[in-house]
Amino acid sequence: MKSITICAVVLILNLPLFGQAKIEAQIGGSNFYGMTINSAYDIPISKNHNRFLSPSFGLGLLLPSWDGPTSIIHVGLDYTMNKFSIGCELSNFLPSPFGERDGPPDVDLIVYPNVSYTYTTKGNLYFNLSAGAYFAYSDTYNYATGTTYLDFQGDVIPGIGITTGYKF
């Protein structure tokens, strides 16, 4: 059992060595009317390097005129085969430390399952267009139990996202 654990840890630690780091700017997508700067990493899961798992993490801001100063924490995971991807992104909306607002954000979390297409140029610059659906959740406090939970807002609306970035 100990040797299996050691082999698994070594394999997991070596996978990123063969991957490709990316930095990107995303408008829309799970950010709704906001923008994030993300770091992403393509981890190959096939021998011919045409299938990848791409986790991403980013920080950004919602447009100031939309919902007051609001910060965005973005995470995502995509499965890419050739130029097409399927994945899911999450954006958590928090009050911004850069300004005052009247109240809490209208939505606390957006889940954005999506499909996308990526066009890559010769200079490792790429453009990605995604289409999916927005599932919005808000924090709700239950006074009877004293707990907070995420409450689905009931509307599922279509959305798009545009990402541009550079592969290192």
Side-chain angles (χ1 to χ4, degrees):
M1 183 65 173
K2 186 177 178 182
S3 63
I4 292 173
T5 305
I6 292 172
C7 289
V9 168
V10 169
L11 178 65
I12 290 170
L13 292 176
N14 282 325
L15 278 177
L17 294 176
F18 303 106
Q20 187 164 24
K22 303 184 292 188
I23 187 84
E24 58 191 23
Q26 180 179 16
I27 298 172
S30 65
N31 305 323
F32 197 53
Y33 289 122
M35 178 181 171
T36 58
I37 303 297
N38 304 328
S39 63
Y41 201 77
D42 286 341
I43 301 170
I45 56 175
S46 68
K47 290 182 182 182
N48 57 2
H49 296 282
N50 68 347
R51 294 182 185 165
F52 300 94
L53 277 180
S54 299
S56 63
F57 175 77
L59 300 172
L61 292 172
L62 195 63
L63 291 177
S65 62
W66 176 256
D67 195 25
T70 303
S71 298
I72 301 171
I73 298 175
H74 167 92
V75 295
L77 181 65
D78 288 329
Y79 170 75
T80 304
M81 187 165 73
N82 296 328
K83 296 180 180 188
F84 295 95
S85 300
I86 185 168
C88 189
E89 299 173 359
L90 305 170
S91 283
N92 190 10
F93 298 90
L94 305 165
S96 176
F98 303 114
E100 297 291 325
R101 38 174 298 117
D102 297 332
D106 294 332
V107 174
D108 293 300
L109 178 73
I110 288 183
V111 179
Y112 178 66
N114 64 79
V115 294
S116 63
Y117 176 79
T118 303
Y119 172 75
T120 305
T121 65
K122 291 181 183 180
N124 287 340
L125 184 66
Y126 65 92
F127 301 93
N128 180 293
L129 180 64
S130 68
Y134 293 122
F135 294 86
Y137 295 88
S138 291
D139 281 339
T140 303
Y141 183 74
N142 186 338
Y143 292 99
T145 62
T147 59
T148 302
Y149 62 94
L150 286 174
D151 185 31
F152 178 59
Q153 295 300 298
D155 291 334
V156 178
I157 58 174
I160 62 168
I162 299 170
T163 305
T164 185
Y166 183 78
K167 294 181 182 184
F168 295 97

